[in-house]
Amino acid sequence: MSVDMQMLKEYVEWESGSLNRAESTVLLHVTHSNLQARMFEIRLDRHMSVERVKEKLRAHVGTGSTFMHLTLLDCNGQVVADMSNDELKLGYFSPQDGWTVHVTDLDPYSLSAGGGLEDVSLVQKYEISEEDYLKRENNFRRWKEEKQKADPNWSFAKEIQSRQDAQRMKHDPTYVPEAPKERITDDNYLAERAAEMSVGDRCEVTLGGKRGSVQFVGKIPSIAPGYWVGVQYDEPVGKNDGCVKGKRFFECPPKYGGFLRPDKLQVGDYPELDDLFDEEEEGEGVTAEGAASSST
């Protein structure tokens, strides 16, 4: 191990005292011959016998202690010792934090073999025929059809909101639910606001003050009718890279892109913010004020 890597290792493993552990405690990783999962920093005591270590690991890996063969590996994955003597203490092998105990499963009928404890595709699922499903009185499809028959604009979001409102009204009789938002159907929704914006304009989002530049102005039917504005933010505070529903509208790095309605942002002289520069300016202002007050 190089000197730099050793220094990095010591920095990462530096004991701050926050773990509140005994001097004989060692943190070891655990791997298993049949499992892809790797268990990190299992607390073991150096005074534990190998047999006792196996008993503790049984709850983590599912292999019976009598079918375990333990191998101790160092930080580089090199074999330090085969822990085949159950009577020896763990401390006999001088384990260090960050080393690994590898469990070899010797059980020919082990449940973990072949992905038995990890591969969910091997689990038999409950299945029901279409005919039997429709025979049920209270099935989901019937419930959804009844909701849509009563309200053609019904959605899960509206259902959740109505239930939340009912709960709040139950606890607070003075609570008045917000009026439901009208569904936008106008294909030219906010066309006038969109006409005021052009690609390349600097902009600022009304709520939150995020700044960036306009990269797209137009319609995106896959989201909703009306006009949208694509923005490349100055910082990674967006949700995409200029691509929506598999279609690309502009190019930008991941997390720098976003799409908003034209009424959610303003265009104009909005230069990129420099937090460090602003802080220095504020500090200079305070110093100047202090100097002025002292001179008077």
Side-chain angles (χ1 to χ4, degrees), residues 50-69:
V50 172
E51 183 179 12
R52 180 70 186 90
V53 171
K54 289 180 178 180
E55 284 294 328
K56 181 166 183 175
L57 296 182
R58 181 175 60 84
H60 292 277
V61 300
T63 300
S65 57
T66 56
F67 293 101
M68 282 189 194
H69 177 78

Side-chain angles (χ1 to χ4, degrees), residues 24 55 71 75 94 118 122 140 185-186 188 190 215 226 264 273:
S24 59
E55 284 294 328
T71 305
C75 293
S94 303
E118 292 181 314
L122 301 177
F140 173 77
T185 57
D186 183 8
N188 290 316
L190 294 176
Q215 298 294 326
K264 302 300 181 184
L273 295 174

Side-chain angles (χ1 to χ4, degrees), residues 71-82 99-102:
T71 305
L72 184 64
L73 311 174
D74 63 15
C75 293
N76 298 316
Q78 300 298 316
V79 176
V80 176
D82 282 319
W99 286 15
T100 300
V101 174
H102 180 71

Side-chain angles (χ1 to χ4, degrees), residues 16-233:
S16 63
S18 60
L19 295 177
N20 192 24
R21 60 174 184 169
E23 293 183 1
S24 59
T25 301
V26 62
L27 303 178
L28 299 179
H29 309 317
V30 176
T31 57
H32 191 276
S33 59
N34 293 339
L35 302 177
Q36 295 182 4
R38 178 185 176 94
M39 287 140 276
F40 293 94
E41 296 191 344
I42 303 299
R43 286 191 173 209
L44 299 172
D45 194 286
R46 290 182 173 87
H47 299 304
M48 297 172 66
S49 65
V50 172
E51 183 179 12
R52 180 70 186 90
V53 171
K54 289 180 178 180
E55 284 294 328
K56 181 166 183 175
L57 296 182
R58 181 175 60 84
H60 292 277
V61 300
T63 300
S65 57
T66 56
F67 293 101
M68 282 189 194
H69 177 78
L70 305 184
T71 305
L72 184 64
L73 311 174
D74 63 15
C75 293
N76 298 316
Q78 300 298 316
V79 176
V80 176
D82 282 319
M83 302 163 64
S84 55
N85 190 337
D86 290 349
E87 297 180 358
L88 291 177
K89 302 293 184 183
L90 178 60
Y92 173 82
F93 304 98
S94 303
Q96 303 296 317
D97 288 347
W99 286 15
T100 300
V101 174
H102 180 71
V103 180
T104 302
D105 193 336
L106 303 177
D107 185 359
Y109 305 104
S110 175
L111 293 175
S112 62
L117 296 179
E118 292 181 314
D119 189 354
V120 295
S121 66
L122 301 177
V123 180
Q124 185 176 1
K125 282 81 172 177
Y126 173 75
E127 296 180 358
I128 184 173
S129 66
E130 187 79 8
E131 183 180 357
D132 291 337
Y133 177 80
L134 295 175
K135 287 180 180 179
R136 294 189 171 189
E137 295 183 3
N138 298 319
N139 64 61
F140 173 77
R141 291 182 190 172
R142 184 173 300 174
W143 174 78
K144 184 177 179 181
E145 289 174 359
E146 291 175 355
K147 289 289 184 180
Q148 291 178 332
K149 193 176 295 183
D151 179 9
N153 295 323
W154 177 89
S155 66
F156 286 111
K158 290 179 65 176
E159 180 71 19
I160 294 172
Q161 186 63 48
S162 64
R163 295 191 179 190
Q164 290 177 342
D165 291 340
Q167 282 291 107
R168 292 193 62 177
M169 293 173 66
K170 181 179 178 181
H171 295 288
D172 182 8
T174 62
Y175 172 72
V176 179
E178 293 183 9
K181 296 181 180 179
E182 295 184 5
R183 188 174 183 180
I184 299 172
T185 57
D186 183 8
D187 200 39
N188 290 316
Y189 179 66
L190 294 176
E192 294 182 0
R193 291 293 301 271
E196 301 171 0
M197 304 174 182
S198 303
V199 173
D201 287 347
R202 290 291 301 174
C203 62
E204 182 178 76
V205 179
T206 306
L207 295 177
K210 296 184 290 186
R211 292 187 178 184
S213 58
V214 176
Q215 298 294 326
F216 168 83
V217 180
K219 299 178 181 179
I220 309 179
S222 59
I223 300 180
Y227 279 81
W228 293 86
V229 179
V231 177
Q232 178 175 343
Y233 295 111

